[in-house]
Amino acid sequence: MITYQKKENNYYYNLEDLNNIIDYIKNNSFYNPNQISRESVEQLLNLINSFLDNIETKEEIVEAQRHETEEEARTYFGEEFIKQFDELLTRLDREDTVVAIHGTTVDNCPQILEEGLKYKGTNIYSTAVIQQMNYGTEDMHYSEYETLLNWPHKLYKGLVLVAIPYECTYKEGLWNHYQDADLSMYGIADYKINPDFIVGYIDVENKKIVLNPKYRREHNYEGLEKDRQIYREDKDLDNDKYRSACIEYKKAFANREERSYSYQAYEQEVTLENLPYLIDELIGTFNGIKLNDKRVISEERYKKLLNELSFIKNIKKILPELKTIEELKKAEEDSPFGSTTSSSTDTDDVFVGGDELDADWIGLEDEEGTKFY
Protein backbone atom coordinates (compact mmCIF):
# COMPACT_ATOMS: atom_id res chain seq x y z
CA MET A 1 0.00 0.00 0.00
CA ILE A 2 1.17 3.54 -0.76
CA THR A 3 0.38 6.21 1.84
CA TYR A 4 -0.17 9.78 0.69
CA GLN A 5 -1.96 12.96 1.71
CA LYS A 6 -4.99 14.44 0.03
CA LYS A 7 -7.77 16.92 0.57
CA GLU A 8 -11.21 15.55 1.30
CA ASN A 9 -14.32 16.42 3.24
CA ASN A 10 -14.70 15.33 6.84
CA TYR A 11 -18.16 15.34 8.39
CA TYR A 12 -18.46 16.39 12.05
CA TYR A 13 -21.66 15.24 13.73
CA ASN A 14 -23.50 16.13 16.92
CA LEU A 15 -23.28 13.26 19.42
CA GLU A 16 -26.52 14.28 21.12
CA ASP A 17 -28.40 14.04 17.83
CA LEU A 18 -27.00 10.57 17.26
CA ASN A 19 -27.85 9.34 20.75
CA ASN A 20 -31.37 10.72 20.39
CA ILE A 21 -31.93 8.44 17.41
CA ILE A 22 -30.61 5.34 19.15
CA ASP A 23 -32.54 6.02 22.36
CA TYR A 24 -35.74 6.77 20.49
CA ILE A 25 -35.61 3.47 18.59
CA LYS A 26 -34.86 1.51 21.76
CA ASN A 27 -37.62 3.15 23.78
CA ASN A 28 -40.48 2.77 21.31
CA SER A 29 -42.49 -0.20 20.11
CA PHE A 30 -40.97 -0.62 16.67
CA TYR A 31 -40.59 -4.37 16.97
CA ASN A 32 -44.29 -5.07 16.34
CA PRO A 33 -45.60 -3.95 12.92
CA ASN A 34 -49.13 -3.82 14.32
CA GLN A 35 -48.13 -1.40 17.09
CA ILE A 36 -46.02 1.11 15.11
CA SER A 37 -47.74 4.48 15.07
CA ARG A 38 -47.55 6.96 12.25
CA GLU A 39 -46.43 9.67 14.68
CA SER A 40 -43.54 7.60 16.05
CA VAL A 41 -42.16 6.95 12.57
CA GLU A 42 -42.54 10.60 11.62
CA GLN A 43 -40.63 11.57 14.75
CA LEU A 44 -37.87 9.07 13.95
CA LEU A 45 -37.52 10.54 10.46
CA ASN A 46 -37.35 14.01 11.98
CA LEU A 47 -34.55 12.93 14.31
CA ILE A 48 -32.57 11.40 11.45
CA ASN A 49 -33.00 14.50 9.30
CA SER A 50 -31.95 16.67 12.24
CA PHE A 51 -28.81 14.55 12.65
CA LEU A 52 -27.97 14.95 8.95
CA ASP A 53 -28.80 18.67 8.89
CA ASN A 54 -26.51 19.42 11.83
CA ILE A 55 -23.46 17.70 10.34
CA GLU A 56 -20.70 20.22 9.68
CA THR A 57 -18.57 19.65 6.58
CA LYS A 58 -14.88 20.62 6.61
CA GLU A 59 -12.33 20.16 3.84
CA GLU A 60 -9.13 18.90 5.47
CA ILE A 61 -5.81 17.27 4.65
CA VAL A 62 -6.09 13.55 5.42
CA GLU A 63 -3.78 10.56 5.15
CA ALA A 64 -4.96 8.09 2.54
CA GLN A 65 -3.76 4.83 1.04
CA ARG A 66 -3.95 3.28 -2.38
CA HIS A 67 -2.89 0.00 -3.92
CA GLU A 68 0.18 -0.07 -6.11
CA THR A 69 -0.35 -0.29 -9.85
CA GLU A 70 0.63 -3.53 -11.57
CA GLU A 71 3.79 -1.84 -12.84
CA GLU A 72 4.69 -0.62 -9.34
CA ALA A 73 4.06 -4.10 -7.92
CA ARG A 74 6.33 -5.71 -10.50
CA THR A 75 9.02 -3.21 -9.64
CA TYR A 76 8.57 -4.08 -5.97
CA PHE A 77 9.07 -7.82 -6.49
CA GLY A 78 11.89 -7.39 -9.00
CA GLU A 79 12.94 -9.28 -12.12
CA GLU A 80 14.57 -12.20 -10.28
CA PHE A 81 11.45 -12.98 -8.24
CA ILE A 82 9.19 -12.68 -11.30
CA LYS A 83 11.41 -15.02 -13.30
CA GLN A 84 11.46 -17.59 -10.49
CA PHE A 85 7.69 -17.42 -9.97
CA ASP A 86 6.91 -17.71 -13.69
CA GLU A 87 9.19 -20.72 -13.99
CA LEU A 88 7.55 -22.39 -10.97
CA LEU A 89 4.05 -21.77 -12.35
CA THR A 90 5.09 -23.09 -15.77
CA ARG A 91 6.42 -26.32 -14.20
CA LEU A 92 3.25 -26.83 -12.16
CA ASP A 93 1.11 -26.09 -15.23
CA ARG A 94 2.93 -28.75 -17.24
CA GLU A 95 2.48 -31.24 -14.40
CA ASP A 96 -1.30 -31.12 -14.90
CA THR A 97 -2.06 -29.12 -11.80
CA VAL A 98 -3.94 -25.93 -11.05
CA VAL A 99 -2.43 -23.53 -8.51
CA ALA A 100 -4.50 -22.17 -5.63
CA ILE A 101 -3.19 -19.45 -3.28
CA HIS A 102 -4.11 -19.21 0.40
CA GLY A 103 -3.33 -16.00 2.33
CA THR A 104 -2.10 -16.12 5.92
CA THR A 105 0.66 -14.71 8.11
CA VAL A 106 4.25 -15.54 7.23
CA ASP A 107 4.68 -17.09 10.68
CA ASN A 108 1.97 -19.67 9.90
CA CYS A 109 3.51 -20.78 6.62
CA PRO A 110 6.23 -23.17 7.87
CA GLN A 111 3.65 -25.11 9.91
CA ILE A 112 1.35 -25.39 6.86
CA LEU A 113 4.24 -26.79 4.82
CA GLU A 114 4.89 -29.32 7.57
CA GLU A 115 1.32 -30.31 8.54
CA GLY A 116 -0.88 -29.26 5.61
CA LEU A 117 -3.51 -26.59 4.99
CA LYS A 118 -6.30 -27.00 7.54
CA TYR A 119 -9.89 -25.87 7.12
CA LYS A 120 -13.30 -26.58 8.67
CA GLY A 121 -14.83 -27.88 5.41
CA THR A 122 -14.06 -29.39 2.02
CA ASN A 123 -14.37 -26.27 -0.13
CA ILE A 124 -11.14 -24.99 -1.68
CA TYR A 125 -12.86 -21.77 -2.78
CA SER A 126 -13.50 -20.86 0.85
CA THR A 127 -9.85 -20.87 1.80
CA ALA A 128 -7.87 -20.20 -1.39
CA VAL A 129 -8.03 -18.44 -4.76
CA ILE A 130 -7.57 -20.65 -7.82
CA GLN A 131 -5.31 -19.09 -10.44
CA GLN A 132 -5.77 -18.97 -14.20
CA MET A 133 -3.52 -21.56 -15.88
CA ASN A 134 -2.37 -22.07 -19.48
CA TYR A 135 -2.95 -25.87 -19.51
CA GLY A 136 0.36 -26.50 -21.23
CA THR A 137 -0.28 -24.29 -24.26
CA GLU A 138 2.55 -21.87 -23.42
CA ASP A 139 4.81 -20.75 -20.59
CA MET A 140 3.17 -19.05 -17.65
CA HIS A 141 3.67 -15.29 -17.26
CA TYR A 142 1.87 -14.10 -14.16
CA SER A 143 0.06 -10.78 -14.53
CA GLU A 144 -1.42 -10.06 -11.09
CA TYR A 145 1.52 -9.05 -8.95
CA GLU A 146 -0.49 -6.17 -7.50
CA THR A 147 -2.84 -8.80 -6.03
CA LEU A 148 0.09 -10.72 -4.53
CA LEU A 149 1.38 -7.51 -2.97
CA ASN A 150 -2.05 -6.51 -1.62
CA TRP A 151 -3.73 -9.85 -0.93
CA PRO A 152 -7.51 -9.25 -0.80
CA HIS A 153 -7.99 -11.08 2.52
CA LYS A 154 -6.54 -8.92 5.31
CA LEU A 155 -3.53 -7.93 3.16
CA TYR A 156 -1.80 -11.12 4.28
CA LYS A 157 1.90 -11.35 3.42
CA GLY A 158 2.25 -15.12 3.56
CA LEU A 159 0.83 -16.74 0.42
CA VAL A 160 0.66 -20.54 0.47
CA LEU A 161 0.84 -22.25 -2.95
CA VAL A 162 -1.31 -25.36 -3.38
CA ALA A 163 -1.06 -27.55 -6.51
CA ILE A 164 -4.40 -29.23 -7.22
CA PRO A 165 -4.08 -32.14 -9.68
CA TYR A 166 -6.52 -32.29 -12.58
CA GLU A 167 -7.73 -35.68 -11.36
CA CYS A 168 -9.08 -34.10 -8.16
CA THR A 169 -11.77 -32.41 -10.26
CA TYR A 170 -13.31 -35.58 -11.69
CA LYS A 171 -11.96 -38.73 -9.99
CA GLU A 172 -9.94 -38.29 -6.79
CA GLY A 173 -10.30 -36.69 -3.37
CA LEU A 174 -8.35 -33.71 -2.08
CA TRP A 175 -9.20 -33.37 1.62
CA ASN A 176 -7.98 -35.46 4.54
CA HIS A 177 -10.62 -35.72 7.30
CA TYR A 178 -7.96 -36.00 9.97
CA GLN A 179 -10.07 -35.21 13.07
CA ASP A 180 -12.13 -37.99 14.68
CA ALA A 181 -15.03 -35.68 15.58
CA ASP A 182 -16.66 -32.97 13.50
CA LEU A 183 -15.76 -29.79 15.38
CA SER A 184 -16.30 -27.38 12.49
CA MET A 185 -19.34 -25.86 14.19
CA TYR A 186 -16.93 -24.47 16.77
CA GLY A 187 -14.65 -22.99 14.12
CA ILE A 188 -12.09 -25.77 14.54
CA ALA A 189 -10.64 -27.21 11.34
CA ASP A 190 -11.12 -30.94 10.97
CA TYR A 191 -10.10 -31.24 7.31
CA LYS A 192 -6.78 -30.52 5.68
CA ILE A 193 -4.95 -30.67 2.37
CA ASN A 194 -1.93 -32.87 3.03
CA PRO A 195 1.62 -31.41 2.86
CA ASP A 196 2.45 -33.28 -0.38
CA PHE A 197 0.00 -30.93 -2.18
CA ILE A 198 1.64 -27.79 -0.73
CA VAL A 199 4.27 -26.45 -3.14
CA GLY A 200 5.58 -23.76 -0.81
CA TYR A 201 4.82 -20.17 0.07
CA ILE A 202 5.61 -16.60 -0.91
CA ASP A 203 7.06 -14.29 1.72
CA VAL A 204 5.79 -11.02 0.25
CA GLU A 205 7.73 -8.67 2.53
CA ASN A 206 11.05 -10.41 1.89
CA LYS A 207 10.20 -11.08 -1.79
CA LYS A 208 11.13 -14.74 -1.72
CA ILE A 209 9.60 -18.12 -2.56
CA VAL A 210 10.11 -20.89 -0.01
CA LEU A 211 9.65 -24.37 -1.51
CA ASN A 212 8.24 -27.30 0.46
CA PRO A 213 10.49 -30.40 0.48
CA LYS A 214 7.38 -32.52 1.18
CA TYR A 215 5.67 -31.56 -2.07
CA ARG A 216 5.36 -34.14 -4.83
CA ARG A 217 3.17 -34.51 -7.87
CA GLU A 218 2.08 -38.10 -7.19
CA HIS A 219 -0.27 -38.63 -4.26
CA ASN A 220 -1.90 -41.40 -2.30
CA TYR A 221 -5.59 -40.62 -2.70
CA GLU A 222 -6.85 -43.41 -0.46
CA GLY A 223 -9.34 -42.06 2.07
CA LEU A 224 -9.28 -38.48 0.75
CA GLU A 225 -12.64 -36.75 0.40
CA LYS A 226 -13.77 -34.91 -2.73
CA ASP A 227 -13.92 -31.15 -2.80
CA ARG A 228 -17.50 -29.87 -2.61
CA GLN A 229 -16.98 -27.17 -5.25
CA ILE A 230 -14.51 -28.29 -7.90
CA TYR A 231 -15.31 -32.02 -8.02
CA ARG A 232 -17.66 -33.37 -10.68
CA GLU A 233 -17.46 -37.12 -11.21
CA ASP A 234 -16.84 -38.17 -14.82
CA LYS A 235 -15.62 -41.73 -15.42
CA ASP A 236 -14.86 -40.99 -19.07
CA LEU A 237 -12.36 -38.25 -18.28
CA ASP A 238 -8.60 -38.47 -17.99
CA ASN A 239 -6.06 -35.67 -17.62
CA ASP A 240 -5.54 -35.30 -21.37
CA LYS A 241 -9.26 -34.92 -22.01
CA TYR A 242 -9.63 -32.59 -19.06
CA ARG A 243 -6.76 -30.40 -20.32
CA SER A 244 -8.24 -30.24 -23.81
CA ALA A 245 -11.64 -29.28 -22.43
CA CYS A 246 -10.10 -26.49 -20.32
CA ILE A 247 -8.18 -25.14 -23.32
CA GLU A 248 -11.34 -25.02 -25.42
CA TYR A 249 -13.27 -23.33 -22.63
CA LYS A 250 -10.52 -20.77 -22.14
CA LYS A 251 -10.54 -19.94 -25.87
CA ALA A 252 -14.30 -19.59 -25.93
CA PHE A 253 -14.22 -17.37 -22.86
CA ALA A 254 -11.48 -15.15 -24.34
CA ASN A 255 -13.27 -14.76 -27.66
CA ARG A 256 -16.75 -14.14 -26.36
CA GLU A 257 -18.46 -10.90 -27.32
CA GLU A 258 -18.01 -8.09 -24.84
CA ARG A 259 -21.42 -7.15 -23.54
CA SER A 260 -22.34 -4.06 -21.64
CA TYR A 261 -24.79 -4.31 -18.81
CA SER A 262 -26.65 -1.53 -17.11
CA TYR A 263 -26.56 -1.90 -13.35
CA GLN A 264 -28.94 -0.04 -11.11
CA ALA A 265 -28.63 0.37 -7.39
CA TYR A 266 -30.96 -1.87 -5.46
CA GLU A 267 -33.62 0.21 -3.77
CA GLN A 268 -34.82 -1.35 -0.53
CA GLU A 269 -38.57 -1.95 -0.57
CA VAL A 270 -40.33 -0.84 2.60
CA THR A 271 -43.46 -2.65 3.75
CA LEU A 272 -45.38 -2.82 7.00
CA GLU A 273 -43.94 -6.31 7.50
CA ASN A 274 -40.26 -5.44 7.11
CA LEU A 275 -40.43 -1.98 8.70
CA PRO A 276 -39.54 -3.26 12.22
CA TYR A 277 -36.47 -5.05 10.89
CA LEU A 278 -35.29 -2.01 8.92
CA ILE A 279 -35.73 0.30 11.91
CA ASP A 280 -33.91 -2.14 14.20
CA GLU A 281 -30.99 -2.20 11.74
CA LEU A 282 -30.62 1.55 12.23
CA ILE A 283 -29.32 0.93 15.76
CA GLY A 284 -26.35 -0.88 14.26
CA THR A 285 -25.85 1.82 11.66
CA PHE A 286 -25.70 4.64 14.20
CA ASN A 287 -23.82 2.66 16.86
CA GLY A 288 -21.14 2.05 14.23
CA ILE A 289 -20.62 5.77 13.83
CA LYS A 290 -20.03 6.19 17.57
CA LEU A 291 -16.84 4.12 17.42
CA ASN A 292 -14.92 7.22 16.35
CA ASP A 293 -13.97 9.31 19.40
CA LYS A 294 -13.28 12.35 17.23
CA ARG A 295 -16.97 12.65 16.35
CA VAL A 296 -16.04 12.81 12.68
CA ILE A 297 -17.13 10.71 9.72
CA SER A 298 -14.74 10.26 6.81
CA GLU A 299 -15.90 11.04 3.29
CA GLU A 300 -16.01 7.35 2.36
CA ARG A 301 -17.91 6.41 5.53
CA TYR A 302 -20.34 9.30 4.99
CA LYS A 303 -21.19 7.96 1.54
CA LYS A 304 -21.73 4.53 3.08
CA LEU A 305 -24.01 6.08 5.67
CA LEU A 306 -26.14 7.76 3.01
CA ASN A 307 -26.40 4.46 1.21
CA GLU A 308 -27.44 2.68 4.41
CA LEU A 309 -30.13 5.32 4.96
CA SER A 310 -31.34 5.47 1.37
CA PHE A 311 -34.33 3.22 2.13
CA ILE A 312 -35.71 5.82 4.54
CA LYS A 313 -37.15 7.94 1.74
CA ASN A 314 -39.40 4.99 0.88
CA ILE A 315 -40.89 5.00 4.37
CA LYS A 316 -42.85 8.12 3.45
CA LYS A 317 -44.79 6.05 0.91
CA ILE A 318 -46.22 3.75 3.58
CA LEU A 319 -46.93 6.39 6.25
CA PRO A 320 -50.64 6.55 5.27
CA GLU A 321 -50.87 2.79 5.94
CA LEU A 322 -49.72 3.23 9.55
CA LYS A 323 -52.31 3.79 12.24
CA THR A 324 -52.22 6.96 14.33
CA ILE A 325 -51.80 6.78 18.10
CA GLU A 326 -55.50 7.37 18.53
CA GLU A 327 -56.38 4.61 16.08
CA LEU A 328 -54.06 2.17 17.85
CA LYS A 329 -55.56 3.12 21.20
CA LYS A 330 -59.08 2.56 19.94
CA ALA A 331 -58.13 -0.80 18.39
CA GLU A 332 -56.65 -1.85 21.71
CA GLU A 333 -59.77 -0.86 23.62
CA ASP A 334 -61.94 -2.80 21.18
CA SER A 335 -59.72 -5.91 21.39
CA PRO A 336 -61.11 -8.81 23.45
CA PHE A 337 -57.53 -9.72 24.46
CA GLY A 338 -56.77 -6.49 26.29
CA SER A 339 -53.58 -4.48 26.04
CA THR A 340 -50.89 -5.77 23.72
CA THR A 341 -48.60 -2.76 23.63
CA SER A 342 -45.27 -2.38 25.31
CA SER A 343 -43.50 0.80 26.28
CA SER A 344 -40.09 -0.29 25.10
CA THR A 345 -38.11 -2.92 23.29
CA ASP A 346 -35.48 -5.04 24.99
CA THR A 347 -32.88 -4.27 22.37
CA ASP A 348 -29.39 -4.44 23.81
CA ASP A 349 -27.07 -1.53 23.18
CA VAL A 350 -24.57 -3.56 21.22
CA PHE A 351 -22.54 -2.63 18.19
CA VAL A 352 -23.62 -3.99 14.85
CA GLY A 353 -21.84 -2.78 11.75
CA GLY A 354 -19.24 -0.01 11.71
CA ASP A 355 -16.39 1.12 9.50
CA GLU A 356 -14.99 -2.32 8.70
CA LEU A 357 -17.63 -3.59 6.30
CA ASP A 358 -17.15 -6.27 3.69
CA ALA A 359 -19.94 -5.20 1.38
CA ASP A 360 -19.41 -3.14 -1.74
CA TRP A 361 -20.93 0.28 -1.15
CA ILE A 362 -22.43 2.43 -3.86
CA GLY A 363 -22.66 5.61 -1.83
CA LEU A 364 -25.76 7.06 -3.46
CA GLU A 365 -27.03 10.48 -2.43
CA ASP A 366 -30.55 11.68 -2.82
CA GLU A 367 -30.77 14.10 -5.74
CA GLU A 368 -32.25 16.78 -3.49
CA GLY A 369 -29.57 16.43 -0.81
CA THR A 370 -29.24 14.30 2.28
CA LYS A 371 -32.85 14.48 3.45
CA PHE A 372 -34.94 11.41 2.83
CA TYR A 373 -38.20 12.69 4.24
Side-chain angles (χ1 to χ4, degrees):
M1 300 286 283
I2 294 177
T3 301
Y4 64 101
Q5 291 188 328
K6 69 173 184 177
K7 281 186 178 181
E8 72 171 29
N9 288 331
N10 278 332
Y11 299 84
Y12 291 85
Y13 64 88
N14 186 303
L15 181 59
E16 184 179 353
D17 290 341
L18 187 146
N19 285 331
N20 286 341
I21 296 171
I22 296 173
D23 292 340
Y24 189 78
I25 295 174
K26 291 174 60 179
N27 294 326
N28 283 273
S29 302
F30 290 117
Y31 63 92
N32 185 343
N34 297 318
Q35 297 296 331
I36 299 177
S37 70
R38 187 183 309 168
E39 291 91 340
S40 65
V41 174
E42 289 175 337
Q43 177 61 14
L44 175 60
L45 296 179
N46 288 335
L47 290 172
I48 293 174
N49 281 327
S50 178
F51 169 80
L52 294 172
D53 287 344
N54 291 336
I55 288 177
E56 182 181 358
T57 305
K58 294 182 181 179
E59 186 179 64
E60 298 175 330
I61 301 293
V62 299
E63 191 174 88
Q65 290 185 321
R66 69 168 177 86
H67 285 189
E68 289 81 354
T69 64
E70 181 63 24
E71 183 178 353
E72 289 170 338
R74 292 177 71 89
T75 300
Y76 170 86
F77 281 107
E79 292 182 4
E80 183 178 348
F81 178 95
I82 291 174
K83 180 175 181 293
Q84 182 185 4
F85 192 51
D86 282 352
E87 288 176 351
L88 177 61
L89 290 179
T90 298
R91 174 170 68 84
L92 296 171
D93 185 55
R94 290 175 178 171
E95 291 179 351
D96 290 353
T97 67
V98 175
V99 174
I101 300 179
H102 167 81
T104 184
T105 64
V106 175
D107 290 342
N108 286 338
C109 290
Q111 183 178 0
I112 293 175
L113 267 57
E114 179 68 24
E115 300 179 4
L117 178 60
K118 300 175 182 179
Y119 191 61
K120 61 191 177 195
T122 59
N123 184 352
I124 187 65
Y125 285 130
S126 295
T127 189
V129 179
I130 294 180
Q131 304 299 297
Q132 179 65 59
M133 309 300 287
N134 287 340
Y135 305 103
T137 58
E138 58 182 317
D139 289 351
M140 292 286 294
H141 294 286
Y142 200 69
S143 60
E144 297 183 36
Y145 285 96
E146 186 276 321
T147 302
L148 294 186
L149 183 54
N150 300 290
W151 193 248
H153 186 49
K154 298 184 178 180
L155 295 176
Y156 277 135
K157 299 303 180 185
L159 306 179
V160 178
L161 307 174
V162 183
I164 303 173
Y166 290 174
E167 57 265 30
C168 289
T169 65
Y170 63 87
K171 183 173 66 172
E172 305 291 359
L174 177 65
W175 294 89
N176 176 3
H177 193 182
Y178 73 101
Q179 297 269 21
D180 291 335
D182 183 2
L183 303 175
S184 58
M185 68 176 65
Y186 303 107
I188 300 175
D190 49 19
Y191 292 89
K192 69 177 180 179
I193 297 176
N194 289 332
D196 48 296
F197 291 86
I198 312 297
V199 179
Y201 68 89
I202 298 173
D203 181 340
V204 174
E205 290 185 341
N206 291 302
K207 307 170 208 177
K208 67 178 182 179
I209 300 172
V210 179
L211 297 178
N212 185 11
K214 291 192 171 186
Y215 171 75
R216 62 180 181 271
R217 173 56 182 86
E218 301 303 320
H219 309 282
N220 178 9
Y221 292 109
E222 184 178 355
L224 297 188
E225 296 193 15
K226 276 75 172 178
D227 188 274
R228 288 194 297 111
Q229 288 296 108
I230 65 173
Y231 180 80
R232 297 291 184 275
E233 184 174 353
D234 190 333
K235 295 179 180 179
D236 295 329
L237 269 185
D238 57 28
N239 281 359
D240 289 335
K241 292 178 181 178
Y242 179 82
R243 185 190 314 106
S244 298
C246 289
I247 291 171
E248 291 303 313
Y249 177 81
K250 188 176 179 181
K251 286 180 181 177
F253 187 82
N255 295 331
R256 70 177 183 174
E257 258 185 42
E258 289 293 330
R259 300 181 181 179
S260 61
Y261 297 90
S262 175
Y263 292 98
Q264 293 183 346
Y266 173 69
E267 187 169 297
Q268 175 68 60
E269 180 184 6
V270 179
T271 65
L272 291 179
E273 288 71 26
N274 70 2
L275 183 59
Y277 169 79
L278 295 174
I279 292 177
D280 186 63
E281 286 287 292
L282 290 174
I283 293 181
T285 296
F286 287 103
N287 263 330
I289 296 172
K290 289 175 66 174
L291 287 179
N292 193 328
D293 292 334
K294 296 180 180 178
R295 308 297 177 231
V296 61
I297 308 173
S298 69
E299 187 166 316
E300 179 183 3
R301 185 65 186 90
Y302 182 71
K303 290 179 180 179
K304 292 177 182 178
L305 173 63
L306 294 183
N307 190 52
E308 290 177 67
L309 299 179
S310 62
F311 77 90
I312 292 177
K313 58 188 174 184
N314 292 331
I315 292 181
K316 183 178 181 181
K317 299 176 183 178
I318 69 164
L319 280 177
E321 300 178 43
L322 295 171
K323 290 183 171 64
T324 65
I325 293 175
E326 286 300 318
E327 289 171 334
L328 288 174
K329 184 178 179 181
K330 185 176 186 308
E332 181 180 314
E333 291 173 350
D334 294 341
S335 171
F337 302 105
S339 175
T340 59
T341 60
S342 174
S343 60
S344 68
T345 69
D346 294 324
T347 306
D348 291 328
D349 189 8
V350 296
F351 163 66
V352 180
D355 287 337
E356 294 298 328
L357 301 171
D358 292 332
D360 292 324
W361 298 97
I362 302 169
L364 297 178
E365 293 192 36
D366 188 87
E367 292 181 358
E368 297 179 357
T370 57
K371 285 192 176 182
F372 297 104
Y373 169 66

